[in-house]
Amino acid sequence: MGEYDEIFRASVADPERFWLEAASALEWERTPTKALDDARPPFYRWFPDGELNVCRNALDRHVEAGHGQRPALVYDSPVTGVKDVYTYERLRDEVAVFAGALRDAGVSAGDRVVIYMPMVPEAAVAMLACARLGAVHSVVFGGFAARELAVRIDDARPTVVVSASCGIEGTRVIEYKPLLDKAIELAAHKPARRIVLQRPQAEAELGADDVDWAAACAAASPADPVPVASTDPLYVLYTSGTTGKPKGVVRDSGGYATALAWSMTNVYDVGPGQTLFTASDVGWVVGHSYIVYAPLLAGATTVLYEGKPVGTPDAGQFWRVAAEYGVRAMFTAPTAFRALKKEDPDGEFARAYDLSALKYLFLAGERLDPETYRWASELLGIPVIDHWWQTETGWPIVANPAGIELLPVKPGSPTKPLPGWDIQVLDGDGRQVPPGTDGAIVARLPMPPGALPTLWNDDERFVQSYMSAFDGYYLTGDGGHLDEDGYLFVMGRTDDVINVAGHRLSTGGMEEVLAGHPDVAECAVIGVSDQLKGQVPRGFVVLKSGVDADAEGYAERLRAELVTLVRDQVGAVASLKDVAVVAALPKTRSGKILRKSMRSIADGTDEPVPSTIDDPAVLEALRPTLRRQ
Ligand code: COA
Ligand code: AMP
């Protein structure tokens, strides 16, 4: 039996013992005596009698152990030309002071704080400061527009919003303050205060309820870590579901910290004093887990990189960062490597740097296509590790566990389930399918520590979205199969969620926006394959009767209006650039739009059309439009 098999079996045979042992990597205010509270399925709670502070574990603990001068966070921003190193001591001190500033603004344990910031160290400082107070942060990705921010503010009902005057996208300065002001205008809930970090690229005008970050810190005294229950929420992270209303994924404190600490050693193979470079954004789960919390819990060094893989200034920045900080493991989305390959197919930029310290490349967030896998492997000559997880799970479900042993790779598969994850593939009737057969990928309950205990203020939606399709299982929303060796192949979402450049978006949300246009009678948005971004959305609209679609310039004007509408209401990150006016949309006899059939024609896979189709001629008429690249 290999080491992986042995560890996996131990996690299945005695999960309580396995996870209590993993929890001993942390410093607890009150050490848990019990691993799992399973009294109220499907609501499982990890380490119910434990108490800890996650910020203390991420920072103070390492300083007290004599590692205060070790780099904790390296900020590298080619778009502004700034580089800065935060030692553990400096980061602890700055976090403690900002926690004091939040406390002065009225934040205490259990209160929510929305963080809407670009990739600056202060975003991590704000997150950790919330954790220090036992407050619950909710980070909103900077690429989302005001309306998306407003929806999240209304659901989380924060005491304070923390933001910055601007973000930088390549050479463009994006002002955040007008977006924040607009969001607060749209939201029914009005946070008492806004703390704004002024950046020199565009200073914001501050209003009566706004506080300047620097002034708030200057007036504050440092706050000590507040111990909380292991089951208390550390954060809420909104993610796209089937409708326009995002789901507030709740993350607990002790279970999450335990799972992350375990994963740093056993999956990523990065330990104290070693460097992890995760090129993502703090607005996504990858950023929460592997830019901020996991590397700091492990006493490692994290790189917070502000920029894209290509563009400003060139396609060599990832390699420069890897060489400059002796990065041991790098983590990003496959789309970043497709962008690099497009810009630098022969890898000349990579060869210009000494990458001898780089031992692993981890990729997640979307399917890793075999061509990108091959290119990255040949370029770097190190293990390229595809791994599969979701906002809901907080850490990887299926991976090649580099820190335990590297299993043979099967391109197209993220390898095998990690300890604690009992992954099955079921058919529509809830029966396990034979190896090699596609079905719904599910996880048997209870899920291991770190996975979501519920949705924010919405137990009912939690049960309905994830727990009701198959009794005793969590529905991942992904489809795929297990092979005869137990390797999982994830083929794509079975719902209306799409992945655009590694960003999770809801086609349902975009449809709601298109449907708001006065000329639109009905619409559909589908995700179609894209060479660079993996998937991009394409919109199809049917106009209300009486609208003259043939009027000169109308089609172009409407298309531009619809694209702008989605950009303004969802955000630029939606990347909806293509909207076609069509005569009708194909439907089932019960009136459901056949999005899956539309997608399969657009992608050229041409799956059989369901027998429930109402009028096959409608789909046929649409075929040339769908086929157009
Ligand atoms: N704030 C404001 N705008 C943002 C933004 C942010 N944080 N992030 C993206 N946008 C904007 C972009 O500027 C772009 O605007 P445009 O249409 O005016 O050009 C739009 O949203 C689409 O962004 P994106 O899909 O990222 O496309 P891109 O062409 O700018 O970059 C990649 C493409 C592949 C280079 C880029 O997506 C990337 O590096 N991805 C890495 C993967 C990643 O971070 N994944 C997260 C989960 S692991
Ligand atoms: P997010 O919640 O933003 O992390 O997105 C999660 C979704 O991204 C999953 O449900 C999958 O559809 C997709 N995904 C993430 N990682 C992978 C992977 N390694 N292979 C295939 N799909 C992935």
Side-chain angles (χ1 to χ4, degrees):
M1 194 157 57
E3 222 188 320
Y4 158 80
D5 289 315
E6 218 169 287
I7 292 177
F8 186 84
R9 271 172 213 208
S11 81
V12 176
D14 193 347
E16 299 253 345
R17 183 169 163 183
F18 185 89
W19 291 114
L20 272 177
E21 208 173 292
S24 67
L26 303 174
E27 190 182 286
W28 295 82
E29 211 65 40
R30 184 154 178 248
T31 307
T33 58
K34 184 175 164 57
L36 181 69
D37 170 4
D38 57 1
R40 210 167 59 93
F43 300 94
Y44 296 94
R45 293 146 63 92
W46 283 95
F47 312 118
D49 62 352
E51 273 180 27
L52 81 171
N53 181 278
V54 175
C55 175
R56 176 172 175 74
N57 272 277
L59 301 175
D60 307 59
R61 183 167 57 115
H62 306 306
V63 178
E64 286 157 18
H67 306 303
Q69 295 317 305
R70 184 188 285 167
L73 184 148
V74 173
Y75 170 52
D76 190 295
S77 170
V79 292
T80 59
V82 177
K83 291 178 192 174
D84 201 356
V85 178
Y86 289 67
T87 61
Y88 270 94
E89 189 173 274
R90 175 178 168 203
L91 191 57
R92 181 208 51 189
D93 291 348
E94 294 200 12
V95 165
V97 168
F98 191 66
L102 285 175
R103 191 179 49 194
D104 294 346
V107 176
S108 57
D111 290 345
R112 275 80 54 217
V113 174
V114 162
I115 300 172
Y116 182 62
M117 295 183 95
M119 284 291 286
V120 289
E122 288 81 357
V125 168
M127 291 164 75
L128 290 158
C130 291
R132 196 169 188 84
L133 294 178
V136 182
H137 60 70
S138 188
V139 183
V140 179
F141 176 59
F144 281 128
R147 193 188 72 133
E148 292 284 331
L149 178 57
V151 169
R152 287 155 174 80
I153 289 175
D154 273 341
D155 200 68
R157 304 181 63 79
T159 311
V160 167
V161 179
V162 183
S163 191
S165 56
C166 66
I168 293 133
E169 281 288 297
T171 51
R172 278 179 304 153
V173 174
I174 313 267
E175 290 192 35
Y176 274 41
K177 187 64 180 9
L179 296 170
L180 173 62
D181 289 344
K182 176 94 180 114
I184 289 174
E185 193 187 307
L186 290 171
H189 172 80
K190 308 291 177 197
R193 287 282 162 76
R194 294 96 74 113
I195 302 181
V196 181
L197 174 77
Q198 294 284 20
R199 301 188 78 190
Q201 292 77 13
E203 296 224 346
E205 227 175 272
L206 300 186
D209 298 331
D210 301 329
V211 186
D212 172 60
W213 173 293
C217 288
S221 53
D224 285 334
V226 176
V228 299
S230 167
T231 52
D232 280 345
L234 175 67
Y235 63 78
V236 176
L237 177 57
Y238 288 89
T239 192
S240 300
T242 301
T243 66
K245 186 176 186 295
K247 297 170 176 167
V249 168
V250 175
R251 192 75 63 213
D252 71 0
S253 299
Y256 181 56
T258 299
L260 290 186
W262 187 90
S263 73
M264 281 300 285
T265 312
N266 295 284
V267 179
Y268 296 95
D269 192 21
V270 175
Q274 296 176 330
T275 304
L276 176 67
F277 168 27
T278 300
S280 175
D281 190 288
V282 287
W284 306 111
V285 70
V286 173
H288 281 65
S289 294
Y290 295 103
I291 295 175
V292 182
Y293 287 110
L296 298 177
L297 287 166
T301 302
T302 186
V303 180
L304 191 139
Y305 173 81
E306 186 181 30
K308 304 251 169 181
V310 294
T312 317
D314 59 35
Q317 297 309 300
F318 275 12
W319 316 126
R320 176 188 61 74
V321 167
E324 213 166 306
Y325 308 114
V327 169
R328 176 175 173 81
M330 193 179 157
F331 179 177
T332 188
T335 192
F337 268 74
R338 289 195 294 270
L340 286 169
K341 176 166 163 262
K342 192 168 162 216
E343 198 87 356
D344 181 26
D346 300 325
E348 277 169 25
F349 279 107
R351 273 186 271 281
Y353 293 95
D354 174 8
L355 300 178
S356 53
L358 191 63
K359 297 290 178 249
Y360 309 102
L361 169 65
F362 289 88
L363 296 172
E366 52 172 333
R367 187 168 177 273
L368 173 59
D369 55 289
E371 175 52 28
T372 304
Y373 169 73
R374 193 192 54 73
W375 185 78
S377 302
E378 281 173 13
L379 175 73
L380 298 172
I382 55 171
V384 172
I385 300 178
D386 179 14
H387 58 323
W388 170 67
W389 53 296
Q390 316 179 303
T391 304
E392 287 85 345
T393 67
W395 65 289
I397 313 168
V398 169
N400 202 341
I404 298 174
E405 64 170 324
L406 278 173
L407 300 169
V409 171
K410 296 195 187 189
S413 167
T415 311
K416 293 195 181 185
L418 290 171
W421 289 105
D422 183 353
I423 295 299
Q424 312 273 339
V425 178
L426 306 181
D427 67 15
D429 298 322
R431 283 188 300 252
Q432 269 184 44
V433 298
T437 309
D438 280 340
I441 307 176
V442 297
R444 193 195 293 275
L445 298 176
M447 289 187 280
L452 81 171
T454 189
L455 292 176
W456 183 249
N457 277 342
D458 209 342
D459 284 353
E460 205 179 305
R461 192 174 180 200
F462 170 73
V463 172
Q464 174 240 317
S465 306
Y466 303 112
M467 303 295 172
S468 58
F470 303 106
D471 196 26
Y473 294 95
Y474 161 78
L475 182 72
T476 65
D478 281 305
H481 60 266
L482 284 160
D483 75 3
E484 56 292 339
D485 299 322
Y487 280 63
L488 183 77
F489 288 77
V490 182
M491 306 313 286
R493 298 285 305 192
T494 55
D495 55 13
D496 297 327
V497 167
I498 57 171
N499 246 293
V500 181
H503 308 139
R504 177 165 159 180
L505 298 161
S506 159
T507 54
M510 290 183 226
E511 287 179 2
E512 283 172 27
V513 174
L514 295 184
H517 189 282
D519 291 0
V520 172
E522 57 178 349
C523 64
V525 174
I526 56 171
V528 299
S529 303
D530 181 80
Q531 281 212 322
L532 175 65
K533 297 193 177 188
Q535 277 186 305
V536 288
R538 278 179 72 184
F540 300 84
V541 297
V542 177
L543 298 180
K544 286 183 181 157
S545 58
V547 176
D548 181 7
D550 297 327
E552 205 189 319
Y554 174 81
E556 258 324 290
R557 203 169 55 244
L558 177 73
R559 199 196 67 82
E561 279 173 21
L562 292 172
V563 166
T564 305
L565 213 54
V566 171
R567 206 179 161 87
D568 287 352
Q569 299 205 11
V570 179
V573 72
S575 298
L576 180 78
K577 303 253 159 80
D578 185 356
V579 184
V581 175
V582 298
L585 290 167
K587 292 184 183 159
T588 61
R589 284 191 286 278
S590 60
K592 202 167 169 284
I593 297 172
L594 287 167
R595 294 181 180 81
K596 199 162 168 239
S597 299
M598 290 170 68
R599 205 167 55 221
S600 86
I601 294 174
D603 284 345
T605 55
D606 284 317
E607 286 161 27
V609 175
S611 58
T612 51
I613 188 165
D614 180 39
D615 181 358
V618 173
L619 189 60
E620 281 316 304
L622 204 57
R623 197 175 282 273
T625 312
L626 287 164
R627 275 281 158 77
R628 186 175 47 76
Q629 287 299 308

